[in-house]
Amino acid sequence: MKRLFISLYLLLSLSFLGIGWTLDSIWQNNVDDSGAPDAPLVAFAQLLAQFPEEQRQGFIDKLDDNPAYPLQLLNRDQVAFGDKEAISRNQILVAAHDKEHELHFISVDDKQFLMAGPIEIDPREQLRGLFTLFFYLSLAFVALIWVWPLSRDLKTLRLATKEFGQSNWDTQIQLSPRSQVQPLASTFNEMARHIRALIENQKHLSNAVSHEIRTPLARLKFALALMPQYCRPDSDVERRNEFLDEMQQDVKEMENLLQELLTYASLESQRKAIQFERCDLSKLTQQTIARLQGLNRLPITLNPQPRKIEVMGDPSLIERALQNLIINAQRFATTAITIELSVSRGSVTLSVIDDGPGIATEDQAKIFEPFYRSKVVQNGNKGHGLGLAIIKRIMERHNGKVQLLSEPGMTHFTLSWPRVVKGLSEKMAISKH
């Protein structure tokens, strides 16, 4: 606060002083007619010069005596001037008599001077210092009015930064919308939210590695301990093969988890690496359905038969989001899965609907969080809680959104993208990425 105030005050003061002095010098040298107030005294000296030297004093004595402006004729030997104070004809020299009076000298001829004074100095001149002091105090007050809220907001920023540096990741700055540093505070809040999300993701990943992998890893360790028993020449071959299949399932489970973790993390770290292009959503949907239909006996219906529908995005990520939704529906559906494609005025939507038991109301607000699992237990409810989180992150990267509507007997997931407008969406994608 002090440094900011002092620097601003000195800047303003020196600026005013320099500009004022410069303008005053220009005025004095080029505009101001400083000789105008002294013109009567100059004219009187010129008049005296027309009289003989012996008559001049008599002429002065005949004038009305003015105590405020006394006149006196002096010989040159009665006045001593320094080298710098030598005056020429028609030029007035002002000399101080005391603090309140001054003397004016003007040359009449080569032998005599006319002296006016002692003349009382204008009392208003004594107020010049007070007015100057008042001016700079007023300037300081104005500078303080400007600096004080700025200093207060900067202090808030400094304390928030210090608190954030002490691992308080929820730190947010609340400033008035009129604050001069409001954009900086908004940028800090956005940075803090982003860092907090990254740290939470790291915590989730750590928890996943420590908990999700622990179970299949423990089974593998137990299986390795039993391996000599199943590898004996007299052991049952069928049981040995079952035993090895179970070990492969554990390895596959860990591989799937690691793949999900890598996908989820890459969507955050490679935010700027996503390349957008025109994607035929209808074709991607049909290809995904054909690939996943053989994994489950439940029929997948695409309704209605779509025409060509295009969106801007990364085809592989869009296909991954659709795949996760269909696999999730296959896990919980009872009789059928329906996929709907529609185009509205400003968006393209893709819906995946299943007739499963539905998602509990208390779960719906958290279902898109990483590693969160619904309380519904169906078909073992296998999964790592990353599928829907990956979908949400993919849709965020595509400037879209994912929505959920669920009740007993029906679960409805909807993906929506901005509709492609020819020439415009490509420019928007290029500008964002």
Side-chain angles (χ1 to χ4, degrees):
M1 167 65 181
K2 290 182 179 179
R3 292 181 59 184
L4 182 62
F5 172 74
I6 292 174
S7 62
L8 178 63
Y9 179 70
L10 289 178
L11 175 63
L12 293 176
S13 300
L14 293 177
S15 299
F16 276 110
L17 184 63
I19 294 173
W21 180 83
T22 302
L23 294 178
D24 185 65
S25 298
I26 295 174
W27 178 269
Q28 292 291 339
N29 295 331
N30 299 282
V31 180
D32 189 22
D33 186 9
S34 58
D38 301 325
L41 186 61
V42 174
F44 186 68
Q46 293 175 349
L47 180 62
L48 285 179
Q50 305 300 321
F51 288 88
E53 185 177 341
E54 61 274 6
Q55 297 179 6
R56 296 171 181 170
Q57 185 62 45
F59 181 75
I60 294 175
D61 294 339
K62 292 179 181 179
L63 297 176
D64 293 336
D65 188 19
N66 185 358
Y69 202 81
L71 297 174
Q72 185 178 357
L73 196 61
L74 301 174
N75 294 325
R76 279 191 173 270
D77 56 1
Q78 294 179 286
V79 182
F81 295 110
D83 295 338
K84 296 182 180 180
E85 295 176 336
I87 59 175
S88 59
R89 191 178 297 276
N90 300 331
Q91 179 183 0
I92 294 178
L93 175 66
V94 179
H97 182 263
D98 54 37
K99 294 182 178 180
E100 298 179 356
H101 297 81
E102 61 185 12
L103 301 174
H104 293 181
F105 295 91
I106 185 171
S107 175
V108 178
D109 54 20
D110 296 338
K111 297 182 179 181
Q112 290 185 322
F113 286 101
L114 178 64
M115 181 183 74
I119 302 172
E120 185 178 5
I121 300 175
D122 189 352
R124 292 174 296 181
E125 291 293 329
Q126 299 178 0
L127 298 177
R128 183 184 298 273
L130 293 178
F131 276 99
T132 301
L133 178 61
F134 177 76
F135 168 77
Y136 283 104
L137 289 177
S138 301
L139 185 62
F141 180 71
V142 172
L144 183 62
I145 291 177
W146 187 86
V147 166
W148 177 256
L150 177 62
S151 175
R152 178 196 58 205
D153 294 342
L154 289 177
K155 182 179 180 181
T156 302
L157 284 172
R158 179 176 61 83
L159 293 177
T161 304
K162 182 178 180 181
E163 186 176 357
F164 190 78
Q166 295 174 349
S167 302
N168 295 320
W169 310 121
D170 294 330
T171 303
Q172 293 285 287
I173 300 175
Q174 300 295 333
L175 295 180
S176 169
R178 298 186 298 273
S179 174
Q180 300 176 29
V181 294
Q182 175 61 33
L184 181 60
S186 299
T187 303
F188 175 89
N189 291 339
E190 183 64 26
M191 178 200 69
R193 284 192 291 267
H194 185 63
I195 293 177
R196 182 172 66 249
L198 289 176
I199 292 174
E200 289 177 354
N201 287 339
Q202 293 299 322
K203 289 181 179 178
H204 288 315
L205 293 176
S206 300
N207 291 335
V209 172
S210 61
H211 293 88
E212 299 292 338
I213 295 183
R214 182 176 297 175
T215 301
L217 186 60
R219 289 199 299 263
L220 277 175
K221 290 174 65 177
F222 182 71
L224 288 174
L226 296 178
M227 181 68 73
Q229 178 180 344
Y230 286 93
C231 293
R232 293 176 181 175
D234 57 345
S235 61
D236 189 344
V237 176
E238 185 176 351
R239 291 193 60 188
R240 182 194 308 163
N241 291 334
E242 291 178 358
F243 180 75
L244 293 177
D245 288 341
E246 291 176 358
M247 294 181 66
Q248 290 177 354
Q249 289 296 327
D250 291 333
V251 173
K252 185 177 180 180
E253 182 178 345
M254 289 191 291
E255 287 180 345
N256 291 338
L257 173 59
L258 292 176
Q259 184 62 41
E260 293 284 280
L261 290 173
L262 291 174
T263 301
Y264 184 76
S266 65
L267 287 172
E268 179 64 31
S269 61
Q270 298 178 3
R271 178 188 295 260
K272 296 183 179 180
I274 300 176
Q275 299 297 324
F276 278 11
E277 61 184 64
R278 282 180 176 268
C279 304
D280 188 343
L281 186 59
S282 305
K283 186 176 181 180
L284 283 175
T285 303
Q286 291 173 327
Q287 292 175 349
T288 306
I289 291 174
R291 181 163 49 84
L292 298 178
Q293 181 66 81
L295 301 180
N296 193 287
R297 59 178 177 79
L298 297 177
I300 303 175
T301 305
L302 182 57
N303 187 28
Q305 290 300 318
R307 56 185 173 84
K308 185 176 181 180
I309 300 176
E310 291 186 334
V311 295
M312 293 299 300
D314 185 321
S316 62
L317 292 181
I318 293 177
E319 186 176 6
R320 178 62 183 272
L322 179 57
Q323 172 184 302
N324 285 6
L325 278 185
I326 295 177
I327 292 176
N328 186 73
Q330 288 177 330
R331 184 179 301 140
F332 296 101
T334 303
T335 60
I337 300 171
T338 303
I339 299 178
E340 297 179 351
L341 277 173
S342 62
V343 181
S344 62
R345 194 170 195 179
S347 64
V348 175
T349 60
L350 185 151
S351 301
V352 177
I353 307 168
D354 68 74
D355 57 354
I359 300 174
T361 303
E362 59 270 23
D363 291 334
Q364 293 183 22
K366 301 179 180 180
I367 199 68
F368 293 105
E369 295 180 3
F371 305 104
Y372 184 84
R373 294 178 180 178
S374 173
K375 296 179 180 179
V376 175
V377 179
Q378 178 77 8
N379 297 332
N381 194 14
K382 296 179 181 179
H384 307 290
L386 280 173
L388 295 178
I390 290 175
I391 294 173
K392 180 181 179 181
R393 182 158 288 184
I394 289 174
M395 296 308 297
E396 289 174 348
R397 297 300 172 269
H398 288 78
N399 196 28
K401 58 183 178 180
V402 56
Q403 294 175 303
L404 168 64
L405 177 62
S406 183
E407 58 187 24
M410 189 276 294
T411 299
H412 187 159
F413 284 95
T414 301
L415 307 180
S416 59
W417 295 263
R419 185 177 180 183
V420 173
V421 179
K422 188 175 182 180
L424 177 62
S425 295
E426 289 90 339
K427 292 180 181 178
M428 292 176 61
I430 292 173
S431 64
K432 290 181 180 181
H433 299 277

